[in-house]
Amino acid sequence: MTSSDLADGSWELTIVVAELGLQKTLRVKGELHIGGLMVRLVEALEVSMDWSDHGFWWSEKNVWLLRTHLTLDQYGVQSDVILYFTPMHNNLRVQLPDLQTVELKVNFSLNVFSVVIRICKELGIRHPEELSLARKLEPEELRRNQGVSATRRTRPVGIRNSTPGGGGGHHLSNSSLLDTSSTFSTSPRRFAPGRRTPGGTLMRTCSTPISPFGGGRSPYSPGLFNANSSFSPGSVSSLFFGMGALESVLANSPALPTSEGLRLLYRPKNLSEKARINAGWLDSSRSLMEQGISANCIVLLRFKFFNFYDLNPRYDHVRINQLYEQAKWSLLSEELDCTFEEMITFAAIQLQVQIQSQMPQDVANGGSAIRDDDEADRVDAALNDLQMALEGDATTADADITQVPELCDYLRFYKRKRFWFQSYRRHYFVFKDTCLSMYRTSVDRHLPPQWTVNLKGCEVTSEILVASSKYNIKLQIPSPGGVLELWLKADSDEQYARWMAAFRLACKGKTMADSAAFENETRSITSLINMQRRPVTSSPSHTSTSLNVQPEDYVAPRFLKKLRTKQLIQRILDAHTSVQDLNLVSAKLNFVRAWQALPEYGLAYFIVKFRGNKKEELLGIAFNQMLRMTLQNGDLLKTWRYQNMKSWSVNWETKQVQVSFEEDDLVFQCLTADCKVVHEFIGGYIFLSMRSGNRNQMLHEELFHKLTGGWL
C-alpha cells in the first residue's frame, strides 16, 4: 500500500460472489454506503445479469447488510472482513402439518414472521400469525437440556425504535401496545392468497408411503403428482372461488405420509422430551440465515399459537385440514395424551374423514369445491354472516336480565379420606356469578353454605366414559396454600353439560348472563358426548373387510396392546356409527373440537428453575394462562392468568424471564430453550388476544414484533 493510499483513508475489501464462484477485491472507504458498494461491485464484475435479488451477507457477524443507506463504518466493516454477495431468494423445503414436504422459494433475508406470512399466502392458509417455523431436533437433543441460553441482539446503528421488531425488551400490559383498536387496522382488503412468486416451485419428496407404525400399504392420494414427483400448482389466486390443484393437495392430505415425513415426526416419551421439543422454534424476529437455515434445508411449518380465529369452512379448506392433520399426528405420536375412550372417538372421526375424502364433495355437503352455480348461495351466506355479526352484540346488550342466572342441583362431591379411598357424597350445589357454594340439602339454602369458592381463573377438566355413565368434573382452584382440588360427579349427560359449560365460562371470568356463550358451550359439550355414544338403531355402514382398517393407523401405540386387533377394529367401527353422517369438513372440525377439549391441549412445556428454587420444574404456557407443574408427573402447583399480567421482560444479562402479575412476580431461567422462545410465546398470545371481531382487520406486523421481539 502506497503512502497516497494511506493518506486518503482507503482500504481493500474482499467480497465473494457466490453464484460466480469468484473473489473480488475493491478499494473502498469507510464512508461508502452499502448501495454504492453494490454498484461498484457490479461494475467491476462486468457480467450482464440481474443482480436485483442479491445482498451482502457478513458471515462472521451472522447478519445481512440490507440497509443500503448505511455506510461501512456504521456497520463496522473493516479491511479484515469478508462479505458474501449472494442471492436473497432460494429454495427451502417446508414440511407441512400433514407431514407433506413442499419446496418453496423464500427470502432468506426477511425475518421468519414475514417468511411465514408469504408461505401461508402461497399455500392459501389464512391468519398466518398462528403459525411459525421450527427446525428439526435430533434425537440426542430430546434427551438432554439445552442449558440456560439467551440470544442477545443489539440494534444495528441507524435503526430507529419505530422500526418493525423494535421496542424495548420490557412490555407493560396496560400501555398503548395493548390497545385493541390499534392491533389491526380496518380495511376492506381481506388477507387472501396471492399469486405465486416468480420461479416458485412446489414439490413433494419422492419417498415410499408407509404406515405410521408398520405396514407397507399404499395410501389414498389425490393423484396430482407426475412421475418425478413435481407438482403443477395451477391457479393459486383462485383459491377462494374455485378449487385448484394446489388446494386439492393441501386440503385433502394422503392417508399415510412418506417415510421422510414419519422420520421427522416427534414421539416424546415423557414430559421432559415434550418440553425439549419447543427448543426447535425459530426466532420470528430474525432471518433464516441468521439462525443457521441455509438453502435447501428442511424446516417444520406448524401451528404454534393455539388461539384460532374465524375457522370458516367456506374459505379455510386448507387451514382446517392442516389443523386437523396436526391434531391427528399429535395424538398418534403421543405428543398429546388422551384416554382410551377418547382415542377410539378420535379414530372413528379419522375413519370418517378418510371415507369422505374419497367421495366427491360440494358446498352443500360441506365439501371444499365451490361451483359457479353456487354464486347466489355464497352471496346469501355472506349477507347472513354480516347480519349476524352486526346484530349479535345488540341482541346481547338488549337482553332483559332481571336476575343473575344460577344453577341449582344435587351433585356428588368427592372427598379424600384416609388411605386414599374415594368417597362421593351427595350434596346440594348452587352456582351463581363465578362462585360455587355447597349445602347439605336444598332445605339448607337459607343457611350459610358449608363452603364457597370463586372459580375465576381455575382449571376445569373432565373424565367422561359414556358407556359407564361416568361424568366427572375436576376443579383445580388456585389458593394461597397451593392448588385446591375438587371433584364433582354428575348423574346424567344433560346435567354434566350444563354444569361443565358454566364452569368453563367462570374460569374465563364470564357468567351465565351471557346466554349465547352458555348455550354454545352446552351444545359443544353435548356434541362431544354424542360422538362417544353409539345410536341404538344404527348399525355399521362399513365392515372391517370393506375398509381394511389397520388399528396402528388410527390408535396411539400405547393402546394397541389394550385389546386384540379384531376387538380394536370392532370398537372403532362401533364408534364410527355415531359420526358416519358427517361430511368431510364437519368431520375435521369435530375432530379439532374434541382435540381442543383435552386437558393438555395447547400447552407448550418448558423445563425451568424459578428464582430461589434449585429444583427443576415444568412451566406450561397456554393461550390464556401460565401453569407451574411438577416435572415428574405434571401435577399442577399454581396458575397465572394473562388478564392479571402487568408486564413481562427478559433480562439478557442473567438470562432470566421476568413476568409480573397482580398477586406476585415470576423470575425463572429456561433450561430447555432460549429464553427468547418463552418471551415470544407470552407476547404472541397477548398479541392474538387483541384481535377484534372485525374479520376485515389487517395483520399488524410491527406490533407483533414489539410484543415478541425482545430488542434492547
Side-chain angles (χ1 to χ4, degrees):
M1 184 177 294
T2 64
S3 58
S4 61
D5 296 330
L6 294 174
D8 64 7
S10 62
W11 39 273
E12 290 184 346
L13 177 63
T14 302
I15 302 175
V16 177
V17 183
E19 278 191 317
L20 302 181
L22 59 84
Q23 182 172 298
K24 200 74 175 178
T25 301
L26 299 179
R27 182 162 292 280
V28 298
K29 293 182 179 181
E31 61 191 27
L32 178 64
H33 54 77
I34 300 299
L37 180 61
M38 288 184 179
V39 173
R40 290 189 54 184
L41 177 62
V42 171
E43 291 175 348
L45 292 174
E46 298 180 351
V47 177
S48 179
M49 62 178 293
D50 184 7
W51 300 98
S52 60
D53 187 45
H54 286 61
F56 288 116
W57 169 253
W58 188 355
S59 60
E60 293 181 359
K61 293 290 186 180
N62 200 38
V63 65
W64 286 93
L65 309 184
L66 299 177
R67 299 188 175 270
T68 56
H69 65 281
L70 295 185
T71 65
L72 296 175
D73 284 342
Q74 288 176 309
Y75 268 118
V77 177
Q78 299 178 357
S79 59
D80 59 343
V81 172
I82 298 178
L83 298 181
Y84 291 84
F85 194 56
T86 180
M88 292 181 289
H89 284 81
N90 221 320
N91 290 336
L92 180 69
R93 299 175 64 211
V94 181
Q95 190 197 59
L96 305 179
D98 64 356
L99 305 188
Q100 292 189 90
T101 300
V102 298
E103 191 171 300
L104 301 170
K105 182 161 285 189
V106 303
N107 192 334
F108 280 75
S109 67
L110 290 179
N111 60 59
V112 168
F113 188 73
S114 299
V115 171
V116 171
I117 291 176
R118 285 156 176 78
I119 290 176
C120 290
K121 186 175 182 181
E122 192 163 347
L123 300 181
I125 301 176
R126 298 195 309 150
H127 301 291
E129 66 273 13
E130 299 168 354
L131 297 92
S132 190
L133 297 176
R135 65 180 181 91
K136 169 62 179 178
L137 300 177
E138 298 300 327
E140 180 61 27
E141 295 180 276
L142 293 180
R143 289 192 286 267
R144 58 181 177 83
N145 293 343
Q146 300 296 316
V148 180
S149 61
T151 305
R152 181 179 182 182
R153 296 175 294 115
T154 57
R155 195 184 314 279
V157 178
I159 302 180
R160 298 172 300 181
N161 291 344
S162 59
T163 59
H170 190 82
H171 304 288
L172 300 178
S173 62
N174 57 355
S175 66
S176 60
L177 291 179
L178 297 185
D179 182 7
T180 305
S181 62
S182 65
T183 308
F184 295 87
S185 58
T186 303
S187 170
R189 294 167 49 196
R190 185 189 299 270
F191 175 83
R195 296 183 178 180
R196 295 171 57 83
T197 57
T201 60
L202 272 121
M203 182 177 297
R204 182 181 168 193
T205 57
C206 186
S207 303
T208 303
I210 61 176
S211 171
F213 306 102
R217 301 175 307 282
S218 298
Y220 165 74
S221 173
L224 296 176
F225 296 92
N226 56 30
N228 61 0
S229 296
S230 62
F231 175 68
S232 175
S235 175
V236 183
S237 60
S238 62
L239 280 174
F240 278 177
F241 308 102
M243 187 176 71
L246 175 64
E247 187 183 12
S248 177
V249 172
L250 301 181
N252 299 284
S253 305
L256 299 176
T258 63
S259 57
E260 182 187 22
L262 291 174
R263 181 179 61 83
L264 297 175
L265 185 66
Y266 294 119
R267 294 185 176 90
K269 300 177 182 179
N270 48 52
L271 288 172
S272 297
E273 292 191 1
K274 291 180 181 180
R276 295 182 186 116
I277 289 176
N278 289 305
W281 289 110
L282 298 181
D283 189 339
S284 295
S285 59
R286 303 174 67 199
S287 69
L288 293 168
M289 286 277 283
E290 291 174 333
Q291 302 181 71
I293 307 298
S294 56
N296 297 314
C297 283
I298 188 166
V299 295
L300 314 179
L301 178 68
R302 296 290 187 268
F303 288 91
K304 179 179 181 179
F305 301 105
F306 293 85
N307 187 0
F308 307 117
Y309 180 85
D310 187 26
L311 276 174
N312 193 322
R314 185 170 296 275
Y315 305 119
D316 290 327
H317 315 306
V318 176
R319 184 178 172 219
I320 291 174
N321 178 67
Q322 296 299 323
L323 183 58
Y324 156 75
E325 289 288 335
Q326 182 166 331
K328 179 185 76 174
W329 288 111
S330 69
L331 293 167
L332 292 179
S333 66
E334 301 184 359
E335 186 177 343
L336 189 66
D337 294 332
C338 65
T339 64
F340 177 73
E341 292 296 330
E342 291 168 337
M343 190 77 255
I344 294 298
T345 301
F346 285 118
I349 304 175
Q350 181 185 342
L351 178 61
Q352 178 65 10
V353 169
Q354 294 195 7
I355 294 173
Q356 288 293 311
S357 65
Q358 303 181 52
M359 297 181 179
Q361 302 287 323
D362 55 28
V363 174
N365 294 326
S368 56
I370 302 179
R371 303 170 303 193
D372 294 337
D373 56 4
D374 290 324
E375 181 68 25
D377 293 337
R378 293 194 298 106
V379 172
D380 291 341
L383 291 176
N384 290 334
D385 291 343
L386 177 62
Q387 183 178 0
M388 292 297 295
L390 294 176
E391 295 180 354
D393 294 340
T395 303
T396 303
D398 294 340
D400 183 18
I401 302 178
T402 57
Q403 59 181 2
V404 178
E406 63 179 26
L407 282 179
C408 306
D409 208 342
Y410 280 95
L411 297 171
R412 297 186 182 275
F413 175 58
Y414 166 71
K415 301 176 69 173
R416 284 191 189 274
K417 288 191 174 183
R418 292 182 181 181
F419 310 112
W420 302 91
F421 289 126
Q422 295 186 3
S423 175
Y424 281 97
R425 290 192 174 183
R426 189 176 178 86
H427 292 274
Y428 189 75
F429 288 87
V430 176
F431 182 74
K432 189 174 184 180
D433 287 332
T434 60
C435 294
L436 177 67
S437 302
M438 188 183 80
Y439 301 86
R440 186 177 181 84
T441 64
S442 58
V443 182
D444 300 332
R445 278 206 60 179
H446 65 284
L447 301 175
Q450 294 186 3
W451 52 257
T452 299
V453 292
N454 194 331
L455 301 186
K456 184 177 180 180
C458 75
E459 284 295 306
V460 183
T461 55
S462 61
E463 289 184 359
I464 306 176
L465 188 58
V466 177
S468 304
S469 299
K470 179 181 178 181
Y471 304 101
N472 295 343
I473 302 175
K474 180 181 178 181
L475 302 175
Q476 293 176 293
I477 306 165
S479 64
V483 176
L484 177 63
E485 185 177 300
L486 303 177
W487 284 86
L488 300 176
K489 185 175 183 180
D491 296 328
S492 65
D493 56 347
E494 294 87 356
Q495 186 186 47
Y496 165 82
R498 292 196 310 271
W499 285 84
M500 189 67 179
F503 292 159
R504 285 184 178 179
L505 291 178
C507 72
K508 302 174 186 177
K510 300 181 180 180
T511 68
M512 291 184 295
D514 189 348
S515 58
F518 178 71
E519 293 299 328
N520 289 335
E521 284 285 354
T522 305
R523 283 195 299 268
S524 176
I525 296 170
T526 303
S527 65
L528 293 178
I529 295 175
N530 291 335
M531 285 192 294
Q532 295 189 24
R533 180 185 292 110
R534 179 182 175 182
V536 180
T537 58
S538 297
S539 59
S541 58
H542 300 275
T543 62
S544 59
T545 55
S546 63
L547 292 176
N548 190 23
V549 177
Q550 301 294 328
E552 62 268 19
D553 297 338
Y554 300 89
V555 177
R558 70 179 184 276
F559 295 125
L560 292 177
K561 297 180 180 180
K562 192 174 183 65
L563 296 174
R564 294 182 178 180
T565 301
K566 290 185 178 180
Q567 295 174 325
L568 201 55
I569 294 174
Q570 190 59 47
R571 289 290 299 271
I572 296 174
L573 293 177
D574 290 343
H576 178 253
T577 59
S578 300
V579 297
Q580 62 185 0
D581 296 329
L582 296 176
N583 58 50
L584 180 60
V585 176
S586 297
K588 292 178 181 179
L589 287 175
N590 275 274
F591 192 101
V592 172
R593 294 189 188 105
W595 175 58
Q596 292 175 315
L598 296 177
E600 295 184 16
Y601 160 77
L603 278 178
Y605 294 112
F606 299 92
I607 298 178
V608 301
K609 279 187 178 180
F610 287 91
R611 186 171 62 183
N613 194 345
K614 297 182 179 181
K615 185 173 61 175
E616 294 183 356
E617 296 182 90
L618 200 64
L619 177 71
I621 299 181
F623 71 95
N624 59 349
Q625 62 184 338
M626 298 172 61
L627 303 91
R628 184 175 182 176
M629 296 172 284
T630 60
L631 182 59
Q632 289 72 24
N633 48 23
D635 289 342
L636 183 64
L637 300 176
K638 195 169 184 180
T639 62
W640 300 272
R641 290 267 169 178
Y642 293 150
Q643 61 190 16
N644 299 325
M645 184 189 298
K646 296 189 294 184
S647 65
W648 73 100
S649 61
V650 175
N651 188 324
W652 301 105
E653 297 294 338
T654 60
K655 303 176 183 179
Q656 293 179 332
V657 180
Q658 303 174 353
V659 187
S660 178
F661 291 91
E662 293 179 356
E663 60 271 19
D664 54 6
D665 296 333
L666 300 182
V667 181
F668 58 86
Q669 289 181 326
C670 184
L671 307 179
T672 53
D674 195 307
C675 61
K676 172 64 170 59
V677 178
V678 181
H679 181 278
E680 188 168 311
F681 262 102
I682 298 173
Y685 276 125
I686 295 296
F687 175 79
L688 295 183
S689 67
M690 296 161 61
R691 292 182 292 190
S692 67
N694 183 6
R695 297 179 180 178
N696 292 324
Q697 57 193 331
M698 300 297 291
L699 183 59
H700 198 323
E701 296 184 45
E702 183 175 352
L703 181 59
F704 177 87
H705 288 296
K706 286 183 177 179
L707 294 175
T708 64
W711 286 88
L712 295 179

